[in-house]
Amino acid sequence: MKFVLKACLTVAALICLTSCFFGPSLLFYDRDIIGKPNLISNPDFEMPLLPDKKLPKDWTFLSNADFQNIISWDSLSVQNGDKSIKIDGPTQQILIVSEAFPVDNRSAYVNRCYVRSKVPSATPVTLYFRTFDKIGNRKDSYMNKLKTITYWQEILLSTGFFHPSVQFARVIISIPIDPENTYWVDNIGSYHVHAFSR
């Protein structure tokens, strides 16, 4: 009986140890992006979409509801640069979608955005990194979620090990339905941080 108990404990210990060694190992941090170029166009929403100056250049906004009246620039609450995007009282989910940018399918990327809200959110903001092949078919989807509070917080997402046909990616920020709240988004980034051996 003692032998069986010892054997069970040994197996349990080995499972714990091997999960530490062989579990998810793709994890990068802010320090890994130092000196790396940001692949996102207009990452701080500084440049307006010309000639219509209501929305930032190189970003698309998607929603089932009319969002024109609830999205604006804000120069009073910024995380970086002179402006942030403010979403006031979203009655439907709003997706903030970057322009597509090329990626290497044998590399790793760190993605980030900064978010805050007027009051703590009940539903999280979600940061997505989605990859596509050359004709626009979606291949991989990664995400990280964060419930927002009244000061700026970073959502950080490490991505890699893509489908072999991947050529492009987009970063997407999903703002939840929350009519009584206001959200701010700023300083979006995607950075190539590692190339796997060929």
Side-chain angles (χ1 to χ4, degrees):
M1 184 67 179
K2 285 183 180 179
F3 176 77
V4 173
L5 183 58
K6 260 186 175 179
C8 289
L9 289 173
T10 303
V11 169
L14 283 172
I15 289 170
C16 290
L17 286 172
T18 54
S19 67
C20 293
F21 287 111
F22 300 109
S25 59
L26 186 65
L27 194 57
F28 295 96
Y29 301 95
D30 278 329
R31 65 176 178 263
D32 298 305
I33 70 174
I34 295 171
K36 306 282 196 313
N38 191 347
L39 304 175
I40 301 288
S41 297
N42 197 15
D44 295 315
F45 307 113
E46 303 294 299
M47 295 182 288
L49 180 64
L50 298 174
D52 175 37
K53 298 187 177 182
K54 292 180 181 177
L55 296 174
K57 185 181 178 195
D58 299 323
W59 291 92
T60 302
F61 293 78
L62 302 174
S63 178
N64 291 330
D66 182 14
F67 56 83
Q68 297 287 339
N69 294 329
I70 66 169
I71 294 178
S72 61
W73 270 296
D74 193 340
S75 56
L76 298 178
S77 179
V78 296
Q79 198 283 326
N80 192 58
D82 296 322
K83 298 173 184 171
S84 67
I85 285 293
K86 178 181 178 183
I87 302 103
D88 192 14
T91 57
Q92 292 290 329
Q93 178 190 34
I94 293 177
L95 300 179
I96 305 171
V97 184
S98 76
E99 284 290 305
F101 52 91
V103 291
D104 176 13
N105 60 30
R106 293 191 180 181
S107 291
Y109 295 80
V110 167
N111 310 277
R112 70 155 185 222
C113 73
Y114 283 86
V115 291
R116 64 172 290 255
S117 52
K118 183 174 68 176
V119 296
S121 65
T123 306
V125 170
T126 305
L127 173 66
Y128 293 96
F129 180 91
R130 289 183 174 160
T131 65
F132 305 86
D133 65 16
K134 65 180 180 181
I135 60 172
N137 294 318
R138 192 173 88 184
K139 294 299 177 180
D140 308 293
S141 184
Y142 304 81
M143 70 175 182
N144 195 11
K145 298 181 177 184
L146 179 73
K147 288 187 177 179
T148 56
I149 53 179
T150 57
Y151 58 84
W152 290 103
Q153 295 182 102
E154 182 184 38
I155 307 177
L156 199 63
L157 177 61
S158 297
T159 56
F161 303 112
F162 305 140
H163 188 278
S165 65
V166 161
Q167 292 195 12
F168 299 96
R170 291 181 188 268
V171 167
I172 303 167
I173 302 99
S174 174
I175 305 298
I177 299 170
D178 198 350
E180 305 302 317
N181 211 345
T182 302
Y183 292 83
W184 289 264
V185 181
D186 200 4
N187 197 1
I188 320 299
S190 186
Y191 304 86
H192 177 271
V193 294
H194 182 73
F196 301 111
S197 55
R198 303 275 170 175

